[in-house]
Amino acid sequence: MVGLGLIGGSVMRAATAAGRDVFGYNRSVEGADAARLDGFDATTDLDETLSRASDTGALIVLAVPMPALASMLRHIRDVASHCPLTDVISVKGAVLEEVVAAGLLERFVGGHPMAGTAHSGWAAGDARMFAGAPWVISVDDHVDAGVWAQVMDLALNCRSVVVPARSDEHDAAAATISHLPHLLAEALAATAGEVPLAFALAAGSFRDGTRVAATAPDLVRAMCEANSERLVPVLDEALRLLGDAREQLAADRPISELVEGGHAARVRYDSFSRPQIVTTVIGAEGWRDELAAAGRAGGVIRSALPTLGSRG
């Protein structure tokens, strides 16, 4: 594990609980010391960690902020370029570009566990964080079947359900269900902050609607700015819907389109099924396209799929 904050620390805990041999690096002394005090194998020596990964052929999991990624990839290229590589960063296209620039594409498979809290740091981690949560694993054209299977096994060990998706499709979806909600939460919190009585009256609707506004601002900026190409059209659509509602309210007309459309979409979400993907063989002809289509339709992997040559 490279980075032992909320997500990286939770992966370390969950993978260790599953019986995997896990060791990790953290930039801050406080985080690494806290991990060691909790009984985990952690250090602030990046070269030592990457050399150890190189010697053992370990799967490297990047759990660093987006602004730190390019520098970290250069270190990996210099010390452990042959290791399989994945990440848990919330955008995939921007990560992929940095991986290509570092010359590490051949051994890279992107990943993104769709879980988290508004807290940060090692102390905020939880081995149960990923239980039942979707963990996106990229099925871009370049991905190696063997590395993909390793990343799948990690996600399943952490008790997630695996959702295969192409990086661009992940980013388009994440813009709607993760990055836009962050912006809306910030706007809601900031608006309420201008009304003197608002916080005194605030209850469930405000608490639920602004939960992610408690996330560290630097993390919110990093994820939204790195996915700006996909986020801007989604934000435009949200602003259009709100603008139409504003005009309807100003003209004393019903706001049926927004309220009923939003309610119907939420009902569809509540009843959305996740059929299990069971027939794909990793490495077989067309396996990436097959998994991408299954993930697009809502399919998930709940138990390890076979790899080509492993059957029988």
Side-chain angles (χ1 to χ4, degrees), residues 306 309-312:
S310 67
R311 283 181 161 171

Side-chain angles (χ1 to χ4, degrees), residues 29 52 57 73 109 140 147 159 162 194 201 225 231 252 257 264 275 285:
V29 173
R52 184 175 171 187
L73 288 170
V109 172
D140 300 316
V147 178
R159 301 170 58 200
V162 171
E194 299 296 321
L201 300 182
E225 291 169 6
L231 181 53
D252 198 25
E257 180 184 0
E285 184 177 357

Side-chain angles (χ1 to χ4, degrees), residues 72-270:
M72 190 60 66
L73 288 170
R74 287 194 294 271
H75 281 290
I76 293 171
R77 179 191 61 202
D78 293 341
V79 180
S81 61
H82 67 281
C83 286
L85 179 66
T86 188
D87 75 298
V88 291
I89 299 172
S90 64
V91 291
K92 299 275 63 73
V95 170
L96 192 59
E97 290 176 3
E98 295 290 354
V99 170
V100 170
L104 293 170
L105 185 63
E106 183 179 353
R107 302 291 287 162
F108 174 73
V109 172
H112 180 207
M114 305 297 296
T117 71
H119 305 290
S120 59
W122 170 264
D126 186 345
R128 301 163 295 179
M129 178 172 293
F130 310 110
W135 189 313
V136 177
I137 304 180
S138 297
V139 284
D140 300 316
D141 291 341
H142 76 274
V143 299
D144 175 81
V147 178
W148 202 93
Q150 290 187 56
V151 180
M152 173 190 65
D153 287 341
L154 172 64
L156 293 174
N157 286 164
C158 292
R159 301 170 58 200
S160 286
V161 294
V162 171
V163 178
R166 296 193 178 278
S167 290
D168 58 344
E169 292 182 333
H170 163 277
D171 286 355
T176 66
I177 52 86
S178 178
H179 307 154
L180 177 63
H182 272 281
L183 294 184
L184 294 177
E186 307 289 0
L188 175 56
T191 301
E194 299 296 321
V195 180
L197 187 58
F199 290 167
L201 300 182
S205 294
F206 181 77
R207 181 185 63 247
D208 294 345
T210 60
R211 179 184 65 81
V212 295
T215 305
D218 286 349
L219 296 178
V220 177
R221 285 187 53 234
M223 73 173 73
C224 291
E225 291 169 6
N227 199 27
S228 60
E229 182 179 354
R230 299 288 180 176
L231 181 53
V232 167
V234 173
L235 181 58
D236 285 342
E237 176 61 11
L239 292 173
R240 182 192 69 78
L241 291 170
L242 290 171
D244 288 348
R246 187 257 178 219
E247 295 302 318
Q248 289 154 2
L249 288 169
D252 198 25
R253 299 200 309 271
I255 54 172
S256 304
E257 180 184 0
L258 177 59
V259 173
E260 293 177 7
H263 176 74
R266 174 65 199 208
V267 169
R268 291 199 306 274
Y269 166 72
D270 288 337

Side-chain angles (χ1 to χ4, degrees), residues 18-39:
R20 297 179 69 117
D21 180 17
V22 187
F23 56 94
Y25 157 83
N26 198 62
R27 180 179 61 84
S28 77
V29 173
E30 294 81 5
D33 285 348
R36 282 197 298 270
L37 285 173
D38 286 340

